[in-house]
């Protein structure tokens, strides 16, 4: 495996969107191992997110979370769902302990084609765990899973952070007041949408349910329209209990809505009126003598995108009689330059990479379309596809720019 930390670019593999397990697993590994700059995967997937219901389950080690998740898998499969499970357990090494145990406990459903189970090996590092978990959830969401279950050990603040990614949060408390007090100490009770007393077949479960209900009553009463946190006694072995729990989860989803994690994300800055952007980009293209000399014209533009076109003529050919690679590069680079400068701040290209898929010939109408893959305050990454009139891919180009703070000043011409 190549060790290239913080690779700033990532393009969405189409197979990932189709739910290809190997491609999904690979993307998760890249995130887990820190091979990609944080956020690039989520940014690239932005348009494909929001389908999945994210269910978080937390509680002390041994509370019965994994057993319950396994039982829920069976019921959710029966309801026709595709489910992914992410088990985060910072306290245990991958080689043994809870993570291995969880795999065994979920093993029966783990082999089902509609189930994807992944344990995150955190090796004691908690920093960034919640953000990488969130990015992994995005991968699974884009891959089309209906429900994504995050199981994490309720040991502290990092678990609370991880649970913020979930739409519905279950806190699992085994019978015995000691454990529920433990959960309250960790502040985990505050984030619960559902409290589940696990192992309700064991003695003491009923009194734990009562204790937790009393504890909830001591807190502020839910106001109208607010979700009243239920306390459910659940035995993982009783299908009726598991079905009742999932019905309750579905009720919460109906009220709270899915993809809450996306609501909390900063919305990309409000774009200026599309007409202004297009006029500015067209003016930039018109003001470029090199672009004009090759017969390249800009046909479409918006914030972060640009489309340029050129018909291959005699002046573009190389000694082989096919279109010169430099002309194709220039076409792609023009779309790159226009898209990266479309926001009105001068962008300086710092890296570009092109692959040539096939030759273009005289008379071919070529089009280069640039899209913004990611943009931060200082860096932005673009992908440019060069296609022929019949849709055949001629070339793929990726480029990175450094965004300066300098405003672009151009006479905006009244073209088109
Ligand atoms: N009696 C009973 N035991 C359970 C139940 N659910 C889990 N357990 C047991 O509790 C132990 C811990 O379960 P596990 O799912 O690994 O807990 P986790 O650490 O929270 O994931 C295991 O020995 C399970 O067999 C249940 O509903 N009833
Ligand atoms: Mg477990």
């Amino acid at each position: 495996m190549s060790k290239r930390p913080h690779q700033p670019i990532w393009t969405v593999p189409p197979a990932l969107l189709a739910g290809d397990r190997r491609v999904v697993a690979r993307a998760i590994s890249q995130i887990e191992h820190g091979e990609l700059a944080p956020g690039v995967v989520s940014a690239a997937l932005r348009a494909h997110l929001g389908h999945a219901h994210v269910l978080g389950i937390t509680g002390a080690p041994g509370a019965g979370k994994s057993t319950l998740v396994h039982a829920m898998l069976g019921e959710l499969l029966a309801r026709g769902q595709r489910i992914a499970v992410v088990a985060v357990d910072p306290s245990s090494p991958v080689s043994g302990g809870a993570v291995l145990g969880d795999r065994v406990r979920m093993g029966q459903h783990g082999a089902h084609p509609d189930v994807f189970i992944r344990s995150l090996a955190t090796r004691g590092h908690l920093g960034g765990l919640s953000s990488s978990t969130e990015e992994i959830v995005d991968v699974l969401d884009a891959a089309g899973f209906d429900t994504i279950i995050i199981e994490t050990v309720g040991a502290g603040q990092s678990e609370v952070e991880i649970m913020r990614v979930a739409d519905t949060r279950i806190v699992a408390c085994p019978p015995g007041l000691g454990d529920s007090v433990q959960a309250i100490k960790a502040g985990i009770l505050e984030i619960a949408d559902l409290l589940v007393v696990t192992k309700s077949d064991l003695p003491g479960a009923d009194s734990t349910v009562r204790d937790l209900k009393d504890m909830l009553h001591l807190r502020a009463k839910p106001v109208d329209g607010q979700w009243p946190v239920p306390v459910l006694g659940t035995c993982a072995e009783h299908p009726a209990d598991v079905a009742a729990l999932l019905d309750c989860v579905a009720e919460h989803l109906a009220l709270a809505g899915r993809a809450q994690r996306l609501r909390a994300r900063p919305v990309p800055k409000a774009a200026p009126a599309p007409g202004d952007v297009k006029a500015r980009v067209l003016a930039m293209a018109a003001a470029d003598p090199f672009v004009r000399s090759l017969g390249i014209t800009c046909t479409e533009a918006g914030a972060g995108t640009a489309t340029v076109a050129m018909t291959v003529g005699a002046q573009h050919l190389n000694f082989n009689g096919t279109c010169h690679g430099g002309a194709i590069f220039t076409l792609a680079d023009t779309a790159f330059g226009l898209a990266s400068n479309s926001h009105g701040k001068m962008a300086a290209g710092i890296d570009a990479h092109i692959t040539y898929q096939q030759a273009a010939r005289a008379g071919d109408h070529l089009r280069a379309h640039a899209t913004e893959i990611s943009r931060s305050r200082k860096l932005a990454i673009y992908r440019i596809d060069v296609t022929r009139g019949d849709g055949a891919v001629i070339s793929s180009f990726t480029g990175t720019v450094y965004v300066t703070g300098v405003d672009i000043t151009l006479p905006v011409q009244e073209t088109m």
Side-chain angles (χ1 to χ4, degrees), residues 7 31 115 180 188 228 271 299 371 410 415:
Q7 209 176 305
I31 295 165
V115 173
S180 37
I188 213 91
T299 56
T371 43
L410 267 176
T415 42

Short mmCIF file of all heavy atoms in Angstrom, two decimals, residues 7 31 115 180 188 228 271 299 371 410 415:
data_model
loop_
_atom_site.label_atom_id
_atom_site.label_comp_id
_atom_site.label_asym_id
_atom_site.label_seq_id
_atom_site.Cartn_x
_atom_site.Cartn_y
_atom_site.Cartn_z
N GLN A 7 -3.24 12.79 1.19
CA GLN A 7 -3.48 12.98 -0.23
C GLN A 7 -4.64 13.97 -0.36
O GLN A 7 -5.71 13.75 0.21
CB GLN A 7 -3.92 11.63 -0.78
CG GLN A 7 -3.58 11.37 -2.22
CD GLN A 7 -4.01 9.96 -2.55
OE1 GLN A 7 -3.59 9.02 -1.89
NE2 GLN A 7 -4.85 9.82 -3.53
N ILE A 31 -9.50 6.32 4.85
CA ILE A 31 -9.86 7.32 5.86
C ILE A 31 -9.26 6.92 7.21
O ILE A 31 -8.63 7.72 7.90
CB ILE A 31 -11.40 7.44 5.99
CG1 ILE A 31 -11.99 7.98 4.69
CG2 ILE A 31 -11.77 8.31 7.18
CD1 ILE A 31 -13.49 7.80 4.58
N VAL A 115 -25.47 -6.95 4.48
CA VAL A 115 -24.90 -6.47 5.75
C VAL A 115 -23.41 -6.21 5.55
O VAL A 115 -22.70 -7.00 4.93
CB VAL A 115 -25.10 -7.50 6.88
CG1 VAL A 115 -24.36 -7.07 8.14
CG2 VAL A 115 -26.58 -7.68 7.18
N SER A 180 -26.14 2.23 35.37
CA SER A 180 -26.81 3.41 34.83
C SER A 180 -26.21 4.68 35.42
O SER A 180 -26.09 5.69 34.74
CB SER A 180 -28.32 3.35 35.06
OG SER A 180 -28.61 2.78 36.30
N ILE A 188 -23.51 10.67 29.10
CA ILE A 188 -24.01 10.02 27.90
C ILE A 188 -25.54 9.99 27.89
O ILE A 188 -26.17 9.98 26.85
CB ILE A 188 -23.39 8.61 27.81
CG1 ILE A 188 -23.18 8.22 26.36
CG2 ILE A 188 -24.17 7.56 28.55
CD1 ILE A 188 -21.84 8.58 25.84
N PRO A 228 -40.33 12.57 23.71
CA PRO A 228 -40.19 12.13 25.08
C PRO A 228 -39.32 10.86 25.11
O PRO A 228 -39.66 9.86 24.47
CB PRO A 228 -41.63 11.80 25.49
CG PRO A 228 -42.38 11.58 24.22
CD PRO A 228 -41.57 12.10 23.07
N ALA A 271 -23.60 31.65 -3.28
CA ALA A 271 -22.93 32.03 -4.52
C ALA A 271 -23.51 33.34 -5.03
O ALA A 271 -24.68 33.64 -4.81
CB ALA A 271 -23.14 30.94 -5.55
N THR A 299 -18.24 27.96 -23.08
CA THR A 299 -19.66 27.83 -23.42
C THR A 299 -20.57 27.90 -22.20
O THR A 299 -21.72 28.29 -22.31
CB THR A 299 -19.93 26.48 -24.13
OG1 THR A 299 -19.46 25.43 -23.30
CG2 THR A 299 -19.21 26.42 -25.47
N THR A 371 -15.08 20.56 -12.85
CA THR A 371 -15.90 20.61 -11.64
C THR A 371 -15.00 20.73 -10.42
O THR A 371 -13.88 20.22 -10.41
CB THR A 371 -16.76 19.33 -11.46
OG1 THR A 371 -15.96 18.21 -11.77
CG2 THR A 371 -17.98 19.34 -12.32
N LEU A 410 -11.58 42.62 -13.90
CA LEU A 410 -11.66 42.47 -15.35
C LEU A 410 -12.79 43.34 -15.85
O LEU A 410 -13.81 43.46 -15.18
CB LEU A 410 -12.01 41.02 -15.71
CG LEU A 410 -10.90 40.03 -15.98
CD1 LEU A 410 -11.52 38.67 -16.21
CD2 LEU A 410 -10.06 40.44 -17.17
N THR A 415 -20.68 40.16 -23.51
CA THR A 415 -20.71 39.10 -24.52
C THR A 415 -21.85 38.17 -24.21
O THR A 415 -22.08 37.83 -23.06
CB THR A 415 -19.38 38.31 -24.51
OG1 THR A 415 -19.01 38.09 -23.14
CG2 THR A 415 -18.28 39.04 -25.21
#
